[in-house]
């Protein structure tokens, strides 16, 4: 067994109003103990001090967490699916729903208790989808509240790519289930490209069957507050999950990604890479990476990494990797987390070759995200993200200028 | 070791305007958490196009600070003096403006830039310095030729800038940039450090080739006489305690080779290895 623990501290000097945190590796209570349930009333109303909520600005949740946010509108779901994929809109009583995972916080349970209809995409057994399927979710509108539910089913030995694109305004909470069958392969990219006012809280349940492969990429760019909690569970041995993330928080934005990988069965792999850039006053990113290797999960191999690049003063990145290991019979487990300011040495090096400061900054930030972008194997999405990052960088420049 | 005979006095090439890099009474401090500390204490030096000046000094004498101060590293604060490139004060320019004006610094510790490919970096730099993007077909050929001269394998073009490069690979790439950017004046900061015998030969040939073909002036900053077997300076300077304390020709390098820096550093410190 190899256990690698590599906690690198802040790369740059800490500023007065730029802070970063890399914290302890074991949470106060084991992730194994965390309560889950479908019924919102089974959860206490969080006050903000709980481990699960301590980084979230509760007031900006607009009541999603305490029952006061009552649905008064609907989201719009537009699906452009590959011809092999079945698309259904189902009632909340559909028995397939909820099989991919159980809500693990009050807002996820609120969403589960509140949605009226769900969208289900199914890729039948032994089928390769001929193109990526695009699911566009448009928010309920400014000042409106909605709850939703989405399930993506990739049946045994199938192969598909799905893009979830979140746009528009309003307050929205949902659960998304990815149920990946035996030997099946799913690539998913969830883009949170909300308008500035939007609040989105989402639990994404990743369920992997025997020898299933899932590449789950989260890209968060917009919104006032976005909190995405991807939870990966292996139902049988041989699963392989890759969880990638890219976020770019601007002034005033709160972007939170809380990951949980639950290794409960033997011989599964997980690899987590999240990278974020922050700029502007009050830009805040939170990354929590909980990995639990239960006693039965022999032969597990896991690694998780989070890197944050703080581009300006006044932005804050919190990064907390947690690794709990209940068996010694594993292949390897490790994590790394680092938050740094823009590296002046890189800037100097590039400028000393005649490249002006703006262009040098762009090169460095593009380079920072390069590792994630090259792994997004849906070309249309990759191109769009490259363009979005360019746009963010232009915003940085005007902020600095 | 004996050095090769002194080179013939420099004659400017026909058709090229001779340029001058003048460093006048340069004082500079390093910015630290404890406050500023003066490192350069009045450097005077004039380098003309086509000339190679070796600047040799013991550890901690401020040689690297001199190179960084000229290039404009933010950690170093010039407190007085001038650096004139063909009469223009480069100290008033930003780092990139200095490079575009014709200065080049080959760094002792080239910086890694993850995710930025060497080929993208080189093309971006050359476009900035030359003022226009080189034509793609000619560019590919030019880079290939220069890489071949420095015995750099083609796969490096796709790798991130300096990332995971060995010390020798980094130095070769510094000289590759020198060859492609064709500056008026190049400062080579301990380019010889960490190079094995083969790499030293290849890198030195690269420097000589650039110096001869472009008529660049070169400041060769080094601790050791070893590189002087391959690159023959017109002038040798001894740098100690923040300034040039002695200048001469080959004899001065021979003397350092034999006696080290004891006379300048106040304690024995060899200049040969």
């Amino acid at each position: 067994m190899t256990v690698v623990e590599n906690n690198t501290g802040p790369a740059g000097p800490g500023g007065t109003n730029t802070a970063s945190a890399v914290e302890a590796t074991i949470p106060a209570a084991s992730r194994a103990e965390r309560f889950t349930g479908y019924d919102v009333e089974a959860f206490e109303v969080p006050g903000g001090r709980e481990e699960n909520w301590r980084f979230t600005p509760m007031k900006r949740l607009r009541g999603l967490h305490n029952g006061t946010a009552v649905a008064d509108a609907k989201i719009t779901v537009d699906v452009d699916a590959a011809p092999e994929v079945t698309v259904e809109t189902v009632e909340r009583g559909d028995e397939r729903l909820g099989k991919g995972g159980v809500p693990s916080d009050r807002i996820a349970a609120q969403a589960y208790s509140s949605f009226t209809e769900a969208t289900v995409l199914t890729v039948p057994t032994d089928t390769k989808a001929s193109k990526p399927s695009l699911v566009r979710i448009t928010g309920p509108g400014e000042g409106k509240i909605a709850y939703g539910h989405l399930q993506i089913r990739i049946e045994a030995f199938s192969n598909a790519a799905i893009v979830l694109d979140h746009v528009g305004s309003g307050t929205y909470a949902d659960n998304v289930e990815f149920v990946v069958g035996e030997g099946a392969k799913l690539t998913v990219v969830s883009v949170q490209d909300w308008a500035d006012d939007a609040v989105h809280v989402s639990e994404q349940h990743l369920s992997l069957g025997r020898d299933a492969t899932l590449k789950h990429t989260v890209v968060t760019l917009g919104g006032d507050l976005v909190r995405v909690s991807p939870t990966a569970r292996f139902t049988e041995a041989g699963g392989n999950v890759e969880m990638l993330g890219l976020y770019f928080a601007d002034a005033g934005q709160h972007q939170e990604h809380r990951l949980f990988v639950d290794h409960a069965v033997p011989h599964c792999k997980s690899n987590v890479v999240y990278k974020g850039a922050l700029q502007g006053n009050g830009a805040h990113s939170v990354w929590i990476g909980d990995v639990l290797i239960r006693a039965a999960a022999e032969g597990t191999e896991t690694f998780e990494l989070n890197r944050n690049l703080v581009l300006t003063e006044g932005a804050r990145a919190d990064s907390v990797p947690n690794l709990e290991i209940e068996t010694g019979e594993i292949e390897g487990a490790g994590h790394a987390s680092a938050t740094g300011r823009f590296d002046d040495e890189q800037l100097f090096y590039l400028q000393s070759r005649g490249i002006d400061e703006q262009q040098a900054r762009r090169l460095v930030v593009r380079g920072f995200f390069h590792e994630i972008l090259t792994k997004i194997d849906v070309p249309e999405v990759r191109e769009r993200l490259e363009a979005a990052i360019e746009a963010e960088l232009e915003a940085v420049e005007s902020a600095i200028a | 070791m004996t050095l090769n005979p002194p080179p013939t006095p420099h004659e400017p090439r026909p058709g090229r305007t001779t340029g001058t890099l003048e460093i006048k009474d340069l004082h500079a401090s390093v910015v630290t958490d404890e406050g500023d500390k003066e490192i350069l204490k009045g450097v005077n030096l004039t380098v003309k196009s086509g000339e190679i000046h070796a600047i040799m000094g013991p550890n901690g004498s401020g040689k690297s600070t001199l190179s960084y101060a000229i290039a404009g590293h933010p950690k170093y604060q010039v407190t007085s003096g001038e650096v004139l490139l063909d009469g223009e004060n480069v100290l008033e320019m930003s780092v990139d403006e200095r490079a575009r004006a014709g200065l080049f610094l080959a760094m002792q510790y080239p910086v890694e830039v993850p995710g930025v490919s060497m080929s993208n970096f080189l093309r971006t730099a050359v476009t900035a310095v030359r003022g226009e993007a080189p034509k793609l077909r000619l560019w590919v050929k030019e880079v290939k030729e220069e890489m071949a001269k420095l015995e750099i394998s083609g796969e490096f073009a796709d790798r991130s800038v300096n990332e995971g490069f060995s010390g020798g690979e980094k130095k070769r790439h510094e000289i590759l940039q020198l060859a492609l950017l064709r500056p008026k004046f190049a400062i080579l900061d301990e380019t010889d450090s960490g190079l094995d015998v083969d790499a030293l030969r290849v890198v030195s040939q690269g420097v000589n080739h650039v110096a001869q073909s472009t008529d660049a002036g070169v400041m060769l900053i080094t601790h050791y006489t070893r590189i002087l077997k391959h690159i023959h300076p017109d002038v040798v300077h001894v740098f100690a305690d923040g300034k040039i304390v002695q200048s001469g020709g080959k004899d001065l390098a021979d003397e350092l080779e034999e006696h080290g820096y004891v006379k300048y550093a106040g304690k024995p410190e060899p200049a040969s290895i």
Side-chain angles (χ1 to χ4, degrees), chain A residues 343-357 359 363-364 366-368 370-371, chain B residues 72-73 95-96 99-100 104-105 107 111-112 114-116 120-121 124-125 128-129 162 174 177:
Chain A
D343 186 341
D344 288 339
E345 294 297 328
Q346 290 179 347
L347 209 55
F348 172 71
Y349 188 71
L350 296 171
Q351 283 190 265
S352 79
R353 298 323 186 221
I355 300 168
D356 69 40
E357 188 180 337
Q359 204 174 3
L363 276 176
V364 171
R366 263 190 236 144
F368 176 73
H370 180 80
E371 179 189 359
Chain B
H73 192 289
V95 175
D96 49 297
R100 294 197 296 273
F104 179 85
L105 169 60
M107 294 189 202
V111 180
E112 299 186 359
V116 178
N120 181 17
F121 165 60
T124 307
V129 167
N162 293 319
E174 292 294 285
Q177 292 163 46

Side-chain angles (χ1 to χ4, degrees), chain A residues 148-351:
Chain A
H149 196 96
L150 182 64
Q151 187 180 61
I152 312 287
R153 310 173 59 81
I154 311 297
E155 294 182 347
F157 311 110
S158 290
N159 185 336
I162 309 273
V163 179
L164 306 182
D165 194 7
H166 300 88
V167 296
S169 291
T171 302
Y172 179 56
D174 68 346
N175 287 273
V176 183
E177 300 175 62
F178 300 100
V179 183
V180 189
E182 180 178 351
K185 196 173 170 185
L186 171 64
T187 294
V188 54
V189 185
S190 177
V191 184
Q192 286 68 240
D193 196 7
W194 296 104
D196 290 345
D197 70 290
V199 169
H200 181 206
V201 179
S202 181
E203 181 157 0
Q204 303 206 348
H205 308 270
L206 286 51
S207 169
L208 288 90
R210 177 175 296 276
D211 300 328
T213 302
L214 172 52
K215 186 196 278 194
H216 179 264
T217 304
V218 170
V219 178
T220 301
L221 301 170
D224 174 64
L225 183 155
V226 174
R227 177 177 146 132
V228 181
S229 306
T231 298
R233 283 195 180 75
F234 301 96
T235 61
E236 289 195 67
N240 184 350
V241 70
E242 186 168 22
M243 299 165 82
L244 307 173
L246 183 162
Y247 47 93
F248 207 129
D250 292 324
Q253 282 186 318
H254 177 90
Q255 298 179 345
E256 183 165 346
H257 299 94
R258 309 186 69 95
L259 284 77
F260 177 36
V261 184
D262 189 349
H263 281 277
V265 296
H267 302 294
C268 291
K269 279 189 193 175
S270 58
N271 183 41
V272 175
V273 184
Y274 268 61
K275 286 189 166 191
L278 299 91
Q279 60 172 335
N281 220 13
H284 188 199
S285 72
V286 178
W287 179 84
I288 309 294
D290 291 344
V291 175
L292 170 61
I293 303 172
R294 297 183 195 250
E298 293 182 358
T300 291
E301 194 178 335
T302 176
F303 194 83
E304 52 171 351
L305 174 139
N306 175 231
R307 292 258 183 277
N308 295 295
L309 185 56
V310 178
L311 298 173
T312 67
E313 295 285 319
R316 178 186 169 96
D318 287 293
S319 179
V320 188
N322 302 308
L323 179 57
E324 289 179 79
I325 305 175
E326 296 175 354
T327 172
E329 302 299 312
I330 60 172
E331 292 289 316
H335 62 202
S337 161
T339 295
R341 297 241 219 142
F342 210 90
D343 186 341
D344 288 339
E345 294 297 328
Q346 290 179 347
L347 209 55
F348 172 71
Y349 188 71
L350 296 171
Q351 283 190 265

Side-chain angles (χ1 to χ4, degrees), chain B residues 216-234:
Chain B
V218 175
M219 284 168 60
L220 181 67
I221 292 176
T222 181
H223 183 282
Y224 296 111
T225 51
R226 180 173 169 244
I227 195 171
L228 304 184
K229 282 182 204 167
H230 303 276
I231 301 176
H232 306 142
D234 300 275

Side-chain angles (χ1 to χ4, degrees), chain A residues 29-87:
Chain A
S30 168
R31 227 9 246 261
E33 322 272 295
R34 177 105 29 110
F35 177 77
T36 61
Y38 296 102
D39 177 15
V40 61
E41 296 311 330
F43 289 83
E44 294 217 23
V45 172
R49 289 174 176 264
E50 300 79 2
E51 178 60 35
N52 193 11
W53 295 101
R54 65 190 179 103
F55 293 108
T56 313
M58 305 303 285
K59 283 183 183 156
R60 284 160 65 185
L61 287 170
R62 297 179 189 155
L64 286 171
H65 63 296
N66 63 15
T68 60
V70 178
D72 55 8
K74 278 186 173 185
I75 51 160
T76 310
V77 182
D78 298 300
V79 184
D80 175 14
E84 302 82 5
V85 178
T86 314
V87 184

Side-chain angles (χ1 to χ4, degrees), chain A residues 4-9 22 25 303-305 307 321 334-338:
Chain A
V4 185
E5 296 209 8
N6 168 20
N7 259 342
T8 23
V22 174
T25 54
F303 194 83
E304 52 171 351
L305 174 139
R307 292 258 183 277
H335 62 202
S337 161

Side-chain angles (χ1 to χ4, degrees), chain A residues 108-126:
Chain A
Q110 180 74 63
Y112 199 88
S113 305
S114 309
F115 73 89
T116 50
E117 57 184 34
T119 303
V120 178
L121 269 68
T122 306
V123 184
T125 306
D126 254 326

Side-chain angles (χ1 to χ4, degrees), chain A residues 126-158:
Chain A
D126 254 326
T127 306
K128 183 174 166 56
S130 54
K131 64 163 197 172
S133 298
L134 178 70
V135 182
R136 173 174 283 236
I137 293 145
T138 306
E142 202 162 347
K144 302 282 184 185
I145 298 162
Y147 296 96
H149 196 96
L150 182 64
Q151 187 180 61
I152 312 287
R153 310 173 59 81
I154 311 297
E155 294 182 347
F157 311 110
S158 290

